Structure formats: C-alpha cells, structure tokens
Amino acid sequence: AADKIAQPYAGFEPQVNALLHNGHAIIEVSEEELLRAHAHITNDLSIVSEPSAAIAFAGLEKMKFDSGDTVVVVNTGDGYRKS
C-alpha cells in the first residue's frame, strides 16, 4: 500500500536528525496499522485518501492529546466522499 515509504528514513537522515535534535518525535507505523487506518478513514469516516496518506491517521492514533489541543492531519486524495 505504501511502497514509497517502505524504507524508513531512507535519504532523509539529515532531516530526521534535525527533528530529533530539536526535541521532536518520530512515530513508526507498521504496514498493518497503515492498512487498518486506511480502512477506518475510508469506511467509517467516508474520507477518500491515497493509501499511503493514511499513515498520518495511523500515527495520530498513537499520539496523546489534551482536550483543548488543535490537531491537523494532512490528507491527499481526490477529495470525493464515498457514497
């Protein structure tokens, strides 16, 4: 489903190191978690996304937020709702 992201951090070592050095976290998501998130957003939320874009939703499920937090998840796809 996400063949272009199958090699974690490949070619992005400087960016990854900069994120970690500045106190940011990186969340790993398995292929199974990705597929489960894609099914959830497609079937339960009627959001159409490119399959690998569901990785943001899969990562979101692993994070903890406070009730007042604003969370933005970037989704790519054609934008048509599932009927």
Side-chain angles (χ1 to χ4, degrees):
D3 58 333
K4 297 296 182 191
I5 56 176
Q7 296 295 324
Y9 319 129
F12 295 100
E13 289 84 4
Q15 293 88 342
V16 169
N17 289 335
L19 286 169
L20 295 175
H21 178 74
N22 288 302
H24 299 284
I26 295 175
I27 299 169
E28 292 187 49
V29 175
S30 70
E31 185 79 11
E32 181 179 311
E33 291 167 325
L34 169 64
L35 294 173
R36 191 169 44 245
H38 188 253
H40 169 64
I41 65 173
T42 300
N43 298 325
D44 301 332
L45 304 177
S46 298
I47 296 173
V48 178
S49 78
E50 191 275 319
S52 64
I55 200 160
F57 291 91
L60 182 70
E61 292 178 0
K62 292 183 162 191
M63 299 180 71
K64 305 287 185 220
F65 299 99
D66 293 327
S67 61
D69 289 348
T70 300
V71 178
V72 177
V73 178
V74 177
N75 172 54
T76 60
D78 59 19
Y80 292 104
R81 293 182 58 85
K82 182 180 173 188
S83 304

